[in-house]
Amino acid sequence: PPKPPVPGESATKTAVELALEASLRAQNADGSWGDAGEIVGSHRYTRTGATALSLLALLGAGYSPWSKDLLDGIPAGERVAKALDWLKANLEGDSLNLSLAALALNEAYGLTGSARFKESAEGALAKITAAQGADGTGSGPGFRMHAPELSHF
């Protein structure tokens, strides 16, 4: 039978917390998520991309590197800090994975305001910008960005 509702807690909150707990249990010992890469549709998500996506979920739920909260007994803040350190040291990949890393690092900087993340957030954005041509198309390994055709608008 379903559990009675707890005042102030919704089914959605419980589902999100369960997903975050499962994510923390799946985290690699080095702080990353994933393995050699997963192909979803036509995109290959590397450990960099998987780590960024997991971090975005945790950061979006308000867990920072300094959070003292436990999720299923797992110290969320310590795990977020370890993942951010791993991501800062592994800023590589194609446009998709590097862009996800840039989003996660900029979210960490925005959430905390800490100079600890400012340099790596700016560095990730600089890598993306350096790979773009003046016309907005991508260059460099794995960058498949192309300026959209807008003549029909």
Side-chain angles (χ1 to χ4, degrees):
K3 293 192 281 184
V6 176
E9 186 175 282
S10 70
T12 302
K13 179 179 177 187
T14 301
V16 169
E17 285 180 352
L18 289 171
L20 293 174
E21 290 169 1
S23 179
L24 288 177
R25 285 191 300 274
Q27 188 177 21
N28 297 324
D30 64 3
S32 69
W33 275 270
D35 53 24
E38 298 289 329
I39 297 176
V40 179
S42 63
H43 301 289
R44 182 173 182 267
Y45 292 88
T46 63
R47 286 175 59 198
T48 298
T51 300
L53 287 170
S54 295
L55 274 169
L56 284 166
L58 288 158
L59 294 166
Y63 296 103
S64 80
W66 300 285
S67 295
K68 301 295 182 202
D69 300 287
L70 295 177
L71 290 172
D72 196 30
I74 302 168
E78 288 177 24
R79 294 292 191 89
V80 168
K82 191 167 189 174
L84 285 165
D85 288 342
W86 185 91
L87 195 60
K88 288 178 355 181
N90 292 277
L91 281 178
E92 54 196 39
D94 63 9
S95 59
L96 172 67
N97 292 285
L98 189 55
S99 295
L100 291 170
L103 282 170
L105 290 168
N106 278 277
E107 180 68 17
Y109 178 55
L111 179 66
T112 65
S114 172
R116 175 180 175 189
F117 306 112
K118 183 178 181 183
E119 186 177 322
S120 53
E122 289 174 343
L125 292 173
K127 280 187 172 197
I128 294 168
T129 302
Q132 278 189 305
D135 63 354
T137 59
S139 63
F143 279 80
R144 297 180 301 274
M145 298 179 286
H146 301 286
E149 176 57 47
L150 300 176
S151 62
H152 60 279
F153 286 106

